[in-house]
Structures are given as C-alpha cells and as structure tokens.
Amino acid sequence: MRVMMDSLEILPEIATALAEGRPVVALESTVIAHGLPTPTNLETAAAMEQAVRDGGAVPATIAVLDGRIRIGLTADDRARLTEPGVAKLSRRDLAATLASGAPGATTVSATMICAHVAGIRVFATGGIGGVHRGAQDSMDISADLLELGRTPVLTVSSGAKSILDLPRTLEYLETQGVPVLGYGTDSLPAFHSRESGLPVDRRVDSAEEAARIADLHWQLGLGGLLLCNPVPEDAALPGQDVDAWTDAALALAAEAGISGKAVTPFLLSRVAQASDGRTLRANTALLIANAKVGAAVAAALSRQ
C-alpha cells in the first residue's frame, strides 16, 4: 500500500472534497483513449464530469500519467489520452505501467482499484466487461467481474456490454458474490438496450435505497456492488438488432484472428458502423446518465 500511495496524485479539489466527506464520483479514462472516437470521446468525458457536478458531487476521472495514478484530470490530461500508444489498463497492468512511466487509460477494474485506494466509493461507467460469447472455449472473461467481487466500490453501469454472453456474466457475478441492483428496473439492462430479459437480484427505486444497501454491504466487509441503470429511452435500441450486428461483428473478428483486449473495441466499432452510429449515440447517452446517477448515490452515501 505504501508504494501505491507514493504513486498517487489527487487533484486538490478532489482531495479537499474527500477530506470533508463530500461526494466524489470516479470516472474511467479508457472511454477517452479506446472507447469512443475523437472528438466524441472528449466531449462525452466533459459532459460526464458536468453531470456529476450538476448532481452535487465532484468528478474524479482516473488515469496513469508520468508514472503516477492521477485522480482527477485536467483538459490537457484528457487530450493526452487521445494520442496513439496509450495503454489500456486492467488490474494486471497497473504496476508495470507505473514503473515504465508510460501513459495508460484505466478500464473498469483498474479504475475501481485506484478509486478505492483514493477513498472514493462510487464509480460511474458505461457497461462493465463480462463473459465473452464462446468463453467456454476461449476462457475470455473480463477481470472486471473479479474486481467487482473483491473491491468495495459501487459501480453504476448500464449492465454489461451487449456484445457479451449476458446469462453467463450474471452467473459469474453470482459466483463472486456481487449484488446486481436494478435502478428502477427488474431486468438487467443490455447496454444499448433497456432490458435483457434477465432478472436483477434486487430492484431499487432511489439513490438513498442503493446507498443504504451499499453501506450495509461494506459494513459486512464485502466487496463491490453493481447498480444497473438502463440507457435513456430516447437513445435505446432494440435488442434483436444489436444481437444481429454483434453476431456479424463476431464472425469478422474470428476471421481476422482478433483476440484479447482488442476484441471489445473491434466489436463496438463494427456494431457502431452497422447501426449507422446509433449505438454510439446510445453509448454517449448512457455514460452521461450513469454519471448523473453516480452523483446521486455518492451524495446519498455522504449523508449516511
């Protein structure tokens, strides 16, 4: 922990908010470096931070820059993450990237770790990683699922990315002991679609209810929680359309021999093309909506 703390740099505004017990919401940076095209990535990152502020909390976008974990980024920092060669950081990559001094953008798992070290309890993202389709052969399962089981941070997302095997993802979350809460919904959202047809563990209808469950979960010494907020209705897409686009993209990925970290950005890019950009619009809408919910939950936790 000493080395991690020595490698941590927290913007003064965020450090002050944490010291005073005011609400802070962590945001990932891989959405800037790898998740969205420029300039949509920078515009969306700024809109997410503004949504957190509008909700009465302080945004803390996280990345690794110059051998330091940066809790809070300036506009120049965010612009640096759009340059070629920025690493995509999961749990296993953090130490090596810090040691090298190379820039890195944090995924869900890495953002959760850094948020926890900084004392931030709420994290808002788009969709978590999960069990990939065909994982029974490839063993391609996101580290996000393990991190949710071990790191005491509440993650707000629109479920898992719709390119994944959602039933197996839910089963894996159950194995890890992760409560899957539906924010105003009984069904697991499917990222671009509002419903997957799969049930959540419990529906919550307010930020206060979610905060109360999280607080008790952590008092028991348990790990993370997943709070699922469906994509806004005016941006949502039919699930059958997304499935068809995903199946076609998976076939192309297999044909091209694409695997590992490259799979998700490839599939999302192909699906965006097939949908004439509609999945991209849904993605940006849900990211901003989740930042807003994250602010509400962080504010409720600060009142516990």
Side-chain angles (χ1 to χ4, degrees):
M1 185 62 75
R2 180 191 63 79
V3 174
M4 181 63 79
M5 295 304 292
D6 289 347
S7 300
L8 199 65
E9 182 177 337
I10 305 178
L11 282 186
E13 178 193 17
I14 298 166
T16 299
L18 291 170
E20 294 176 351
R22 292 189 284 116
V24 177
V25 177
L27 303 170
E28 62 158 288
S29 52
T30 197
V31 70
I32 302 172
H34 310 105
L36 296 172
T38 304
T40 303
N41 51 357
L42 294 173
E43 294 167 352
T44 303
M48 291 177 72
E49 292 204 356
Q50 188 58 53
V52 171
R53 293 190 186 281
D54 291 345
V58 177
T61 304
I62 295 174
V64 170
L65 293 170
D66 305 317
R68 307 274 284 176
I69 293 172
R70 301 283 288 277
I71 308 293
L73 304 180
T74 66
D76 286 344
D77 292 333
R78 292 195 294 270
R80 286 180 62 187
L81 294 174
T82 67
E83 297 171 0
V86 174
K88 184 179 181 181
L89 306 183
S90 186
R91 163 180 274 264
R92 69 176 184 180
D93 310 302
L94 277 169
T97 304
L98 285 166
S100 72
T106 55
T107 61
V108 168
S109 63
T111 305
M112 288 182 69
I113 293 167
C114 298
H116 177 54
V117 170
I120 301 171
R121 298 187 291 175
V122 177
F123 161 47
T125 185
I128 62 165
V131 179
H132 279 258
R133 302 185 191 193
Q136 64 271 24
D137 298 316
S138 69
M139 293 299 292
D140 193 348
I141 301 172
S142 172
D144 295 352
L145 302 183
L146 286 167
E147 210 60 54
L148 281 159
R150 59 163 62 111
T151 301
V153 169
L154 180 144
T155 298
V156 182
S157 83
S158 294
K161 294 181 177 70
S162 50
I163 58 175
L164 302 170
D165 185 326
L166 298 184
R168 284 190 169 93
T169 296
L170 272 185
E171 288 290 344
Y172 204 99
L173 286 168
E174 180 184 5
T175 299
Q176 295 301 314
V178 179
V180 179
L181 309 176
Y183 195 70
T185 182
D186 297 301
S187 172
L188 177 76
F191 198 48
H192 302 118
S193 305
R194 288 180 62 82
E195 294 187 2
S196 65
L198 302 168
V200 295
D201 296 327
R202 182 184 178 93
R203 175 182 177 134
V204 297
D205 289 307
S206 69
E208 288 73 20
E209 186 179 1
R212 178 62 174 155
I213 292 171
D215 186 53
L216 289 170
H217 189 73
W218 295 328
Q219 286 185 44
L220 291 169
L222 303 175
L225 306 91
L226 182 63
L227 180 61
C228 297
N229 181 42
V231 58
E233 287 189 39
D234 59 357
L237 299 173
Q240 62 268 27
D241 291 348
V242 178
D243 284 342
W245 298 327
T246 299
D247 289 342
L250 281 166
L252 287 172
E255 185 179 320
I258 294 170
S259 62
K261 289 183 180 182
V263 171
T264 296
F266 175 84
L267 294 180
L268 291 176
S269 174
R270 287 292 180 172
V271 169
Q273 291 175 28
S275 69
D276 293 325
R278 284 182 288 165
T279 57
L280 181 60
R281 290 191 290 274
N283 198 352
T284 57
L286 65 85
L287 282 162
I288 296 166
N290 293 344
K292 181 179 179 180
V293 171
V297 176
L301 275 168
S302 72
R303 296 190 292 269
Q304 293 284 334

